Amino acid sequence: MKTEPKYQKQHKVSQVYLKQFGYKRDEEWWLSVYKAGNKITENIRINNFTTETNIFDLPYQDAELKRHFENQSSFIENHYPTIISNLHNQKRLTFKNKDVLNHFVANIMCRTNPFRSFIHDLLKYSDTRDKFINEMTMFSNDTKEIRIFLKKFKIEFQLNLAIGILMDHLVQVFRKFEKVVIRECEGKGWLTTDSPVYLDKQGRHEWIIPIESEIYLPLSKDFCLFMYHPNSVINTNPLRNLKIDRVNNVSMDTFDNITRKIVMDYDEYLIMNIEVEPTDVTKKILLSAANNRP
């Protein structure tokens, strides 16, 4: 039986994901990043980036139960490189690829700071708590049981318990969304952040993921995922006209518009797609350096 360490460094953003934007030096994977508020970019080992000890642990004594979310995350990540390989070789998403992405997008959202803070606030206040629990159990008959279950734990422990349940709900939601893959433009490559999933609710905030949502996730420096619900009323985005489940080319203007959405939706860090020597961003060359790949 596998023995779980008492203290475990856990990544808020998947190492497997980050390697798609990183580079290897001396047998280690690195990222070039810019932290908001700093003047200088920096190079950071992926192994140390966005980590916090035991942040996803569940309040159980049993080691396997305690690390359930972290172990589930690792299982999902193991399938991710196959998706990127298929996009390069087959230029499309298979049925299995799409379901892995349903899990991956849900998982990465539930691991990053802004979304976790949002869910924590929903749990904290009584006027939003019941609505949140009703929503995340809408595909099951467990609403009453989940409400009673969460109340057994202190508020500081409820977030990780709820996140696990919510992730399963989000997978069900994302299975209803169409998926479009967009290739990078003119060798510039996609950038990403420490909060990689950009959720555009288009002004609708009555649900965690309203039907009007449009979702962006840079999958690698070469590909970006765009997701939308085919039955949404707001449907004017021209990206909806691209081929679903296929790799699509777009204009430079479209590429730039998507990039602006992505890079502005960070928590603390903007993540480059090439190795960048420490650069003074006050000289206004940061994005130029980041967007030009050798």
Side-chain angles (χ1 to χ4, degrees), residues 5 40 45 70 90 93 112 118 133 150 160 165 195 209 215-216 219 224 237 242 247 261 264 273:
I40 307 293
R45 290 180 178 87
E70 181 71 358
Q90 301 181 31
L93 294 170
T112 46
F118 170 62
I133 294 174
L150 289 175
N160 283 351
I165 300 166
S195 181
I209 309 291
I215 301 166
Y216 300 80
L219 298 173
C224 182
N237 190 333
L242 298 177
V247 175
K261 293 176 186 286
M264 293 305 293
N273 54 37

Side-chain angles (χ1 to χ4, degrees), residues 53-281:
T53 301
N54 296 357
I55 185 174
F56 302 124
D57 280 9
L58 299 177
Y60 299 122
Q61 292 299 318
D62 180 83
E64 187 173 347
L65 288 176
K66 179 185 287 290
R67 294 280 156 77
H68 176 73
F69 184 87
E70 181 71 358
N71 294 334
Q72 190 176 22
S73 298
S74 297
F75 178 79
I76 294 168
E77 291 168 7
N78 287 339
H79 298 280
Y80 192 74
T82 301
I83 296 174
I84 305 302
S85 177
N86 282 352
L87 291 176
H88 279 291
N89 297 321
Q90 301 181 31
K91 310 296 187 295
R92 67 184 183 91
L93 294 170
T94 67
F95 178 82
K96 183 176 181 180
N97 290 161
K98 289 190 292 182
D99 210 45
V100 170
L101 283 175
N102 293 328
H103 286 81
F104 190 82
V105 176
N107 179 258
I108 209 165
M109 287 181 70
C110 291
R111 289 163 67 168
T112 46
N113 287 338
F115 191 73
R116 286 171 59 83
S117 295
F118 170 62
I119 298 305
H120 179 267
D121 287 346
L122 293 182
L123 284 168
K124 186 177 179 181
Y125 300 106
S126 58
D127 58 335
T128 56
R129 181 185 178 88
D130 282 349
K131 185 176 186 303
F132 166 64
I133 294 174
N134 288 341
E135 181 173 349
M136 75 173 179
T137 57
M138 66 187 299
F139 297 127
S140 69
N141 297 315
D142 301 330
T143 304
K144 182 178 179 181
E145 290 79 1
I146 294 299
R147 188 175 287 112
I148 294 171
F149 169 71
L150 289 175
K151 282 186 177 180
K152 292 180 179 179
F153 297 89
K154 295 180 180 179
I155 187 66
E156 59 264 32
F157 297 131
Q158 291 180 19
L159 174 61
N160 283 351
L161 292 164
I163 283 290
I165 300 166
L166 176 62
M167 191 177 82
D168 291 339
H169 168 74
L170 293 179
V171 170
Q172 298 298 321
V173 172
F174 293 152
R175 282 176 174 156
K176 306 294 185 181
F177 277 59
E178 302 287 15
K179 295 166 182 66
V180 169
V181 179
I182 305 167
R183 191 189 301 275
E184 61 85 29
C185 201
E186 296 185 11
K188 289 195 169 184
W190 296 105
L191 305 178
T192 191
T193 73
D194 57 348
S195 181
V197 179
Y198 172 58
L199 175 63
D200 183 357
K201 293 188 177 183
Q202 302 197 90
R204 304 298 177 87
H205 300 282
E206 60 271 27
W207 302 97
I208 297 170
I209 309 291
I211 195 172
E212 307 300 340
S213 295
E214 294 181 340
I215 301 166
Y216 300 80
L217 171 65
L219 298 173
S220 71
K221 64 185 68 176
D222 296 305
F223 305 109
C224 182
L225 177 69
F226 172 65
M227 297 169 53
Y228 66 93
H229 199 290
N231 296 331
S232 60
V233 174
I234 304 173
N235 56 13
T236 57
N237 190 333
L239 297 179
R240 292 170 176 252
N241 297 324
L242 298 177
K243 294 179 180 179
I244 62 173
D245 305 334
R246 294 291 189 274
V247 175
N248 294 264
N249 295 316
V250 295
S251 69
M252 180 56 70
D253 283 345
T254 299
F255 172 82
D256 285 342
N257 287 335
I258 298 171
T259 296
R260 279 192 288 271
K261 293 176 186 286
I262 292 165
V263 301
M264 293 305 293
D265 192 48
Y266 62 89
D267 180 31
E268 293 183 278
Y269 288 94
L270 172 65
I271 299 170
M272 313 302 164
N273 54 37
I274 58 167
E275 180 178 2
V276 178
E277 288 304 312
T279 303
D280 186 345
V281 299

